[in-house]
Every structure is written in structure tokens, then in C-alpha cells.
Amino acid sequence: MNPAVFLSLPDLRCSLLLLVTWVFTPVTTEITSLDTENIDDILNNADVALVNFYADWCRFSQMLHPIFEEASNVIKEEYPNENQVVFARVDCDQHSDIAQRYRISKYPTLKLFRNGMMMKREYRGQRSVKALADYIRQQKSDPVQELHDLAEITTLDRSKRNIIGYFEQKDSENYRVFERVANILHDDCAFLSAFGAVSKPERYSGDNIIYKPPGSAPDMVYLGSMTNFDGTYNWIQDKCVPLVREITFENGEELTEEGLPFLILFHMKEDTESLEIFQNEVARQLISEKGTINFLHADCDKFRHPLLHIQKTPADCPVIAIDSFRHMYVFGDFRDVLIPGKLKQFVFDLHSGKLHREFHHGPDPTDTAPGQQVQDVASSPPESSFQKLAPSEYRYTLLRDRDEL
């Protein structure tokens, strides 16, 4: 039998202190560094991944590192499975190919991924441990509200875009695809679902998905394959993200980050008729330009400053203008939007540089009557107002300027 070992009182206190320190010291986690070899494997296998695109020389990146690491530690305690939530980072100086792949234009940029798919909206909230942790908790919450009685549909908020899925059972491929789409688009639409006996009255031809648009417009039914993710996603995205979006001070930075000029209708909030006309003409004349310009509408009262910038007031609304992030150009009389091709020509004149030339030098020679003398009229178009909603230089290191239009 081994003899007992007795520690002196100071040694005993030291041992207890070490034990308590070991028990109560939080486990720290390594931030996963992504490179060309591991990025696809790690992101594809992560339910949710928050990726910090940074550069070591950027002071804002340096300020974010300890906050990002501490938020990772907090979340790791709540979601210990390694694939539930991943906090990762990319050194954009070392891996410029990855930065180009994800169109990084400023440091640091925080982007969210779900099962390898990058979400359209990056994280733009407060840079604190609590804010980052709350953001991840929100992303991990169920994006689909379950209906327990179809009568609940009558109380839906009809100012929102609602997507409702009716399924025989929750454990099905149809619902898994629906849930995956909801995870991606839940910021744009409200997603609801019903199962089994509750959903049976709506499943007369099998599982189905319907879209309830804002207001009193009729419902639309998805007619494609519900197990086809791409088809389901594209259909729901088309319903959740309108062709003409509203710009607000909350989403202005996000919209400017898309890098496309703005074609904006300024209208009074209660003037839904002008908005409907604008939406119809954009869809009729400019659907092919969707990838070259953003179609937006703005509240005249909220955006008085841009109106004053182009020498207009809310009393002049509705007003249509283009903001190229360099200058602002005003469309003629709003009623001219109904002239076939007029709005389309306005956008084409932006892309060709004609709007810019005419502001500086007067009408193009091709637009003057034969024999009419062309005068070089020097003028300057108003500078961009919406450029001020772009990412702040007090929060980011911006990498490049936009080309002039």
C-alpha cells in the first residue's frame, strides 16, 4: 500500500487554484483559415459559416480579429458540433483569387454561407461580440413557421410576401428542399408550412407551394418539381425579390454594394398608381437590363435631399432619375414613361455615355436638325446623392472607385 502524500497548505491552495482555473477557463477555438485547397470542402459541409475576408494591413481588420474570435468562442459553446456553425477567415492578400471569386471590394467583409452557398446579404451590423453572436443565433433559428390551423392564414400580414408550403409529412424530400430555400430567402419573404391533416384540404393534387403577394393580388402556385432545388429556388426568389425594389436608409448600403447604377422613381408613399405604372413599364421595356441597372422606388418625403440635389421637391413627385454613383440625371416628364421605348432609351443613353456627354457639351450632333448649328454648352450634372449611402470609410478600407458614367 502506497503511503499517503500530504501537501502543505500553500501547495494545496495552489493546486486548488489551478483546478478552478482549468474548470472555469472557457475553451478557445481556432478560427478556420480558408485557402484554395480547403475552402469548398469546409463551406460545403457547414450548416452555417461566417467568413471574415480581411487584410493584415487594414486597421479595421485588426480591430475586428479579437471580436470575431470571442464571438466564435461564445457560439461554439452553444453549437459544439463542428459542422453546425463555422467561423472562418480569408487572408485576401495571400488568396486574391478567393477575394475575386466572392467580389470583395472592402476590408473587412463578413459574408454568410449556408451549405456552401453564399447569401446575398452580407453582415453589416454592429461589430461587437453580442451582435455577431445574436446574428448567428438568428441564422440558426427555424426560418419556417408551422401552421397548426389553416384559419391562421386569414391573419397573415399581407404587407409581406408570404410563401406557404403544404406537405403530407415533414420528413420528406419536398419539405427539405422548401426548408433549404427558406434558409436562404427568409429575409425577403415570410415562409410558412402545414403538414398532415392540417394541410390536407390544400393538397388535393399532392404537396404544393403557393405565393401570397402583398395586398389583394391573387395567389400563384408553383408548378415545377418540388424536389428540384434550382427550379424551386428560382421561382421563389422571383416572387420574394421584386424587379422594382424600395430603397431605404436601412438597405441603401447593400444596394450600392451591388455596383449597379440606380433607376429611381421618387413618389409619395400613398401614390401607388405612379409606382404601378413605373413597375409595369420597367417590366415591359427594361426586363433585359436587369443585370445592368437596379430598378428602385423611394419615398419623396424621406429622400428630400436627393430631390433637392436635382432641383426638385416632393411637390414635383413623381420624378424619375438615374444615379450613376458619379452624377444624377433626370428623366423628362413622368407621363413620358408611357411612350413606348422612352424609358428604355433613357437607360441606353446612360450606358452609351450620351447622358454624361450632353450634360457637359449639349445635345449630340446626331440629335440636331440638318443645318442647325451645334453649340458646346458647358454644364455639370448634379453629383451622386446615393453614393453617400455606400460603405463608410470609417468602417471599411475601400479597395476601388467605380468607373464614371
Side-chain angles (χ1 to χ4, degrees), residues 111-114 117-122 183-184:
K111 288 188 177 287
L112 187 79
F113 293 78
R114 290 185 179 277
M117 177 179 286
M118 185 178 74
M119 300 297 96
K120 186 179 73 172
R121 288 187 173 90
E122 66 185 61
N183 269 314
I184 298 169

Side-chain angles (χ1 to χ4, degrees), residues 53-294:
F53 294 86
Y54 73 97
D56 276 332
W57 52 262
C58 166
R59 68 186 181 95
F60 301 113
S61 294
Q62 294 292 343
M63 292 164 61
L64 181 61
H65 283 322
I67 297 169
F68 194 70
E69 289 169 4
E70 190 175 344
S72 174
N73 293 335
V74 170
I75 288 298
K76 195 66 177 177
E77 291 183 3
E78 299 177 30
Y79 302 96
N81 185 299
E82 65 177 357
N83 289 330
Q84 284 182 297
V85 178
V86 170
F87 275 67
R89 60 189 174 193
V90 175
D91 183 336
C92 293
D93 279 343
Q94 296 294 321
H95 304 287
S96 58
D97 54 333
I98 297 177
Q100 291 174 6
R101 174 179 171 182
Y102 294 111
R103 300 178 182 178
I104 303 303
S105 61
K106 63 189 186 307
Y107 300 138
T109 292
L110 296 178
K111 288 188 177 287
L112 187 79
F113 293 78
R114 290 185 179 277
N115 304 114
M117 177 179 286
M118 185 178 74
M119 300 297 96
K120 186 179 73 172
R121 288 187 173 90
E122 66 185 61
Y123 177 79
R124 300 175 187 274
Q126 186 180 1
R127 294 174 184 181
S128 69
V129 173
K130 182 180 184 303
L132 287 171
D134 286 345
Y135 174 70
I136 293 299
R137 293 185 189 107
Q138 179 195 6
Q139 298 302 319
K140 290 295 291 180
S141 63
D142 193 340
V144 184
Q145 175 189 338
E146 183 174 348
L147 299 171
H148 300 284
D149 189 323
L150 293 186
E152 295 175 42
I153 294 175
T154 61
T155 63
L156 290 181
D157 183 352
R158 292 307 299 269
S159 67
K160 295 182 178 179
R161 298 167 182 271
N162 294 283
I163 303 288
I164 308 175
Y166 299 102
F167 305 93
E168 183 177 0
Q169 54 187 9
K170 195 168 188 176
D171 185 18
S172 65
E173 184 62 23
N174 284 351
Y175 181 70
R176 279 189 284 273
V177 169
F178 181 79
E179 186 179 39
R180 186 180 169 196
V181 173
N183 269 314
I184 298 169
L185 295 173
H186 69 274
D187 287 336
D188 300 296
C189 270
F191 285 83
L192 307 99
S193 63
F195 305 95
V198 175
S199 67
K200 190 173 182 179
E202 296 289 340
R203 289 189 292 103
Y204 42 84
S205 58
D207 290 356
N208 68 85
I209 299 171
I210 69 163
Y211 165 59
K212 284 187 173 297
S216 57
D219 296 349
M220 300 178 68
V221 181
Y222 175 54
L223 300 176
S225 169
M226 295 181 67
T227 57
N228 182 321
F229 171 79
D230 289 337
T232 306
Y233 174 80
N234 289 334
W235 186 84
I236 293 179
Q237 183 192 44
D238 182 62
K239 305 299 175 285
C240 291
V241 183
L243 182 61
V244 179
R245 294 176 284 176
E246 181 177 13
I247 184 169
T248 64
F249 291 113
E250 289 73 26
N251 68 4
E253 180 180 302
E254 174 188 326
L255 290 170
T256 60
E257 275 282 278
E258 293 182 14
L260 300 176
F262 293 168
L263 175 67
I264 310 173
L265 167 70
F266 295 93
H267 68 109
M268 302 305 292
K269 190 171 184 178
E270 63 275 10
D271 180 13
T272 57
E273 181 182 356
S274 296
L275 175 58
E276 186 175 350
I277 290 172
F278 182 69
Q279 290 170 327
N280 290 339
E281 291 307 315
V282 166
R284 183 178 293 115
Q285 300 186 40
L286 292 168
I287 189 68
S288 62
E289 296 300 308
K290 187 176 180 181
T292 68
I293 193 165
N294 268 330

Side-chain angles (χ1 to χ4, degrees), residues 323-341:
D323 191 303
S324 71
F325 299 132
R326 289 286 185 179
H327 299 296
M328 293 187 73
Y329 307 98
V330 182
F331 186 69
D333 192 310
F334 172 77
R335 289 167 293 187
D336 289 348
V337 77
L338 295 172
I339 300 174

